[in-house]
Structure formats: C-alpha cells, structure tokens
Amino acid sequence: MARTKEFDPDAALLRALELFWERGYEATSMADLVEHLGIARASVYATFGGKHELFLRALERYLETTDPKIAEALSQPGPVLPAVRALIDRYADEAGRDRPRLGCLVVNTAVELAARDAEAARLVESSWNFLEATLTSALTRARAQGELPDGADPRGLARLLLVIFQGMRVLGRAPAEEARIRDAARQAQALLA
C-alpha cells in the first residue's frame, strides 16, 4: 500500500517561495529548505525534485499570483490611463517601501540566475512578456478611446514602462533610493499626460 504524504505540498511550496524570496536561490541550501519546510529531505526530493526544480515551481507560483492581478487592473472597462497611472504608483510604492527589501522575485531571479539558467530566464522572460503585452493592450485601448494621441506607440510605451518598473524594483533593493524611484514615477506619469 502506498504511503500518503504527511504534509501539504502546496503549503510547503509557499514556504519554499518565502525562503527563496528572502534569501535568493544561491544562499538557500537544501538543509535550509528542509529546516524551513519542516519536512524530510527525501520528501522534498520525492515531491518537488531537487532544489532547482523546487525553486522553479516556487517562481511559477509567484507568477500565478502576481501577473493576473496586473491584467485584471488594466482590463477594467472605462478610461485606461488612470489604471496605468495607478500601476506606476503601485510599483513605486512597492519598491520604495518594501522592507526588508525583498524586492520582486522575478527581478531577483533575473539578476541572480537568468544569465546562466535557461529555465529561470524563460520564466523571467515570460513574466516580462506578459506585462508588456498587458500594457500594450491597455495602451492601445487608451489610444482608441482618445486618451493618448493617435500617433502614440502603445508597444513602445509599454516597453518603456516595463523597463521603468523593473528598474524601480532593482533600485528599491538598495538603501535610500526612494527619492529616485519617486522621481522616475513622476516622469513616467508625465509621459501619459
């Protein structure tokens, strides 16, 4: 008879996500995971595979919870630019107040792993492509509704905002960067005036 799991894999995945987000991939050892999750090493391997597979699943879970919120906020009926401006403010707020400076797991992964880990890079790129496509769609609607001039380039604006958002998150990891982040947010807002 097969033995049943004595732990909730979903809860363990969320706890692993927390640990990877707090420490990063390289600084999190398998021993750290075993201790933090409160399950045996063999159970971690049997359920998730190794540390790398567990990290990728944790990153996927992070994306499943963050990306749809952005799409929902930008796809509401009515004027679009107020929602885009609110998103700019949200990124600035999160980058400026994120304590203890955990940052964004996607950006953290891009900085730490993407150059040498194709699977991690694929997930990072997938998230950024999703954000770019969501912003492009919203800004295209804004142009069609007369909120942006006819000559506006929704895709180019979306790419610019993507870079600004990710830059805010990188700067947000360093101490005393809030003024720079706020200035960048003000300039991004001005682009949509």
Side-chain angles (χ1 to χ4, degrees), residues 77-119:
V80 177
L81 291 187
V84 175
R85 288 185 186 103
L87 188 62
I88 292 168
D89 288 340
R90 181 178 134 198
Y91 271 80
D93 289 345
E94 289 174 1
R97 71 169 153 69
D98 190 15
R99 303 292 184 263
R101 299 205 178 271
L102 297 178
C104 167
L105 187 58
V106 175
V107 171
N108 297 350
T109 301
V111 171
E112 182 181 10
L113 293 176
R116 67 182 193 288
D117 184 327
E119 292 172 273

Side-chain angles (χ1 to χ4, degrees), residues 83-170:
V84 175
R85 288 185 186 103
L87 188 62
I88 292 168
D89 288 340
R90 181 178 134 198
Y91 271 80
D93 289 345
E94 289 174 1
R97 71 169 153 69
D98 190 15
R99 303 292 184 263
R101 299 205 178 271
L102 297 178
C104 167
L105 187 58
V106 175
V107 171
N108 297 350
T109 301
V111 171
E112 182 181 10
L113 293 176
R116 67 182 193 288
D117 184 327
E119 292 172 273
R122 179 187 57 77
L123 290 172
V124 167
E125 187 65 23
S126 171
S127 178
W128 289 347
N129 286 340
F130 178 85
L131 179 56
E132 179 184 321
T134 302
L135 284 164
T136 300
S137 177
L139 293 167
T140 299
R141 273 188 18 251
R143 185 178 65 189
Q145 294 173 179
E147 296 174 77
L148 290 173
D150 287 340
D153 176 7
R155 185 171 182 233
L157 279 171
R159 286 184 162 185
L160 178 62
L161 289 173
L162 170 69
V163 171
I164 290 170
F165 292 163
Q166 304 320 309
M168 286 180 186
R169 287 180 161 173
V170 170

